[in-house]
Amino acid sequence: MADVLKVSGLNKRFGGIVVADNIDLALAKGRVLGLIGPNGAGKTSFFNLVCGVVKPDSGSITLVGQEINGLPIRERARMGLARTWQNLRLFSSLSVLDNLMLGPRAYSADNLLDVVFRPGHVADSERESRERAFAVLERTGLAGIAHQPIRDITFGQQKLVGVARALMNDAQCLLLDEPMAGVEGQAYALIQKVVRDIAASGVAICVVEHNVAFIRDLCDEGVFMFAGKVLARGTVETLIADPQLTELYFGT
Amino acid sequence: MDYVYTILILIGLFVILASSFDLVIGHCGLISIAHPIFYAIGAYVSAMLAKEGGMPIPLAMLAGGAAAFAASVLVALPSLRVSGDYLLIASIGFQLGLIEFAKHIHSIGGAGGLTNIPPFLVNTYGRVSYVLLVLAIALLTVLFVRWLTRGPYGRMMAAMRDDELAFSMLGRNAIWVKVSIFAIGSGIAGIAGGLYAHYFRFLEPDQFGLLQSSAILTMVVVGGMRTTLGPVIGAIVLQILPQAITFFGLPPSILGPLQGLMFSGLVLVFMFARPQGLLAAPDIWAGRDSKERRDG
Ligand SMILES: Nc1ncnc2c1ncn2[C@@H]1O[C@H](COP(=O)(O)OP(=O)(O)O)[C@@H](O)[C@H]1O
Ligand SMILES: [Mg+2]
């Protein structure tokens, strides 16, 4: 089994709070791993550590065999790591389409010299990105609102835009932070289908989610996290059936 | 008539300065008010190269722009690597430090100023030719800023202003965008410096201080940040107003302080009454091709 992302001996504390306690975890190609745990368990922090938003105290993080610990966020993204954010972090002064247009690993205008001296090259690259963006918008059911500003669309649609923007990376590893929170109805089914399809295309996916039904239907496997520690790994059924974990999850 | 030409040249120069400053502070969201020091670098470098080095003046002006460009990278790169907030302090330090330094360098005129800067165009083709040159470069600057900010690079700047972390997570290089824009804006200010130097033919370090910083900032704020015409209108209004009140024939003891008060007064009035400036920028970024795409 090919591990796309491999984390070993990862430690991080904020003052007295331990958010990562010697975490060893691997994400395999084409598989969806559910990350379960109560609020404050360190799930989002785990994503932040993997992405380089937060620097670990110690440990190793490899993406397709390459050590990425110490690399800037943008370089990890350019190696094929993409994520969504619990609090969305969409570009609120851009349209849905323009949010996506910024997502490819290599952007049309990354180099200002190209913008000024190779406008034809930039225009070609823009056209390619726009086609890809529309393909992703089709797939996520957002094509009809491509030109809407972010603030004019529903929360469920915003969540989908977050996922769609991450998909523009064509990532090998995708981290989804609570994609279902606050989402109902149509968007729910859509997100589930999209995540499944992406995994089927060979992407390693990790989903943080409190919606138990969603995570049970979607994930091949789950890990239970508490106080920065990975306590158990198994099928989602066995994890949610475990009375000790349930107590930690719902406990005081 | 010379008086009118001089006013027109000053307006043109401040259109260049305000428009390029809006690129830096408005479009890119970089908090820095040290724009005049890059204007000064362009002015002094061009003046010295032409006066002491005998360089053809158009080349000297370009070299002045290049020097301002390079100096701005040296200021921005280390400070932006620390954090965005650090740029303000680093650039003001650079501005005031360099002004003090220049006052003690006799070879560039020291505190008394640099005189006898070689003239350009005026002696052969008359003042009108210089007016046209400055206004043409002002127009080019405004069009360039509009073109850049309404294209894919403008999309990046808008996204970066919204959320720099999410921007980085897409693989975009925020520091590189900031340094590039800071350098371009400063380089344009440097060109304006050369244009100033070879018309007025006299430079003194103190004219490039915080008073000028606040004048350029006022032009952008009053005109309207992130609009094409805002900095243009701001530059015109703030050049004309101080001239206009001289016609009331007030005694110099009142006139001086009144002109000084005008900048701070205008900024205060606008901050409370119309913070978006005379022209308000749309709050949704629109690329130059987004309208036709939507319609077509
Ligand atoms: N940058 C930070 N500085 C200090 N404490 C933090 C920081 N990020 C997270 N924490 C703390 O770490 C703990 C874990 O947070 P988080 O990873 O967001 O949990 P989860 O996503 O599992 O709900 C929380 O107690 C949170 O307050
Ligand atoms: Mg969280």
Side-chain angles (χ1 to χ4, degrees), chain A residues 69-163:
Chain A
N69 193 7
L71 292 183
I73 299 171
R74 63 171 186 278
E75 280 177 31
R76 301 180 200 213
R78 292 178 81 104
M79 289 170 65
L81 178 67
R83 77 175 285 185
T84 67
W85 306 82
Q86 192 174 340
N87 52 349
L88 293 174
R89 289 185 170 273
L90 298 177
F91 305 123
S92 54
S93 58
L94 297 184
S95 69
V96 169
L97 175 64
D98 283 321
N99 265 268
L100 267 67
M101 288 292 284
L102 285 155
R105 279 189 224 181
Y107 177 62
S108 64
D110 271 332
N111 188 345
L112 185 51
L113 291 176
D114 283 348
V115 177
V116 178
F117 297 110
R118 298 169 72 197
H121 175 78
V122 172
D124 288 346
S125 158
E126 280 276 293
R127 203 170 312 116
E128 255 169 59
S129 297
R130 190 172 286 111
E131 276 165 26
R132 275 209 38 207
F134 269 109
V136 171
L137 289 172
E138 267 331 317
R139 179 177 201 177
T140 45
L142 296 168
I145 55 165
H147 298 290
Q148 301 268 338
I150 292 301
R151 83 163 78 95
D152 293 351
I153 64 178
T154 67
F155 186 72
Q157 290 171 326
Q158 291 179 357
K159 282 260 167 171
L160 271 166
V161 173
V163 175

Side-chain angles (χ1 to χ4, degrees), chain A residues 39 43-45 86 177-178 208:
Chain A
N39 280 328
K43 306 180 297 295
T44 296
S45 296
Q86 192 174 340
D177 201 346
E178 304 202 8
V208 168

Side-chain angles (χ1 to χ4, degrees), chain B residues 16 40 50-51 71-72 98 121 123 125 129 132 150 152 161 166 189 198 206 213 218 230 240 277 283:
Chain B
I16 300 172
K51 185 181 173 186
S72 72
L98 199 58
L121 290 181
N123 290 354
Y125 300 103
S129 64
L132 292 177
R150 287 165 56 88
R161 286 195 315 270
H198 298 283
D206 269 333
S213 292
T218 309
I240 299 281
D283 44 9

Side-chain angles (χ1 to χ4, degrees), chain B residues 1 3 18 52 81-83 86 138 170 190-191 194 243 245 292:
Chain B
M1 232 15 222
Y3 172 75
E52 307 296 335
R81 287 176 75 103
V82 179
S83 99
Y86 201 66
L170 298 181
I191 301 274
Q243 309 293 337
I245 57 173
E292 54 201 81

Side-chain angles (χ1 to χ4, degrees), chain A residues 84 159 163 176-181 183 191 195 207-209 214:
Chain A
T84 67
K159 282 260 167 171
V163 175
L176 302 172
D177 201 346
E178 304 202 8
M180 302 315 290
V183 177
I191 292 184
V195 176
V207 187
V208 168
E209 191 47 66
F214 176 83

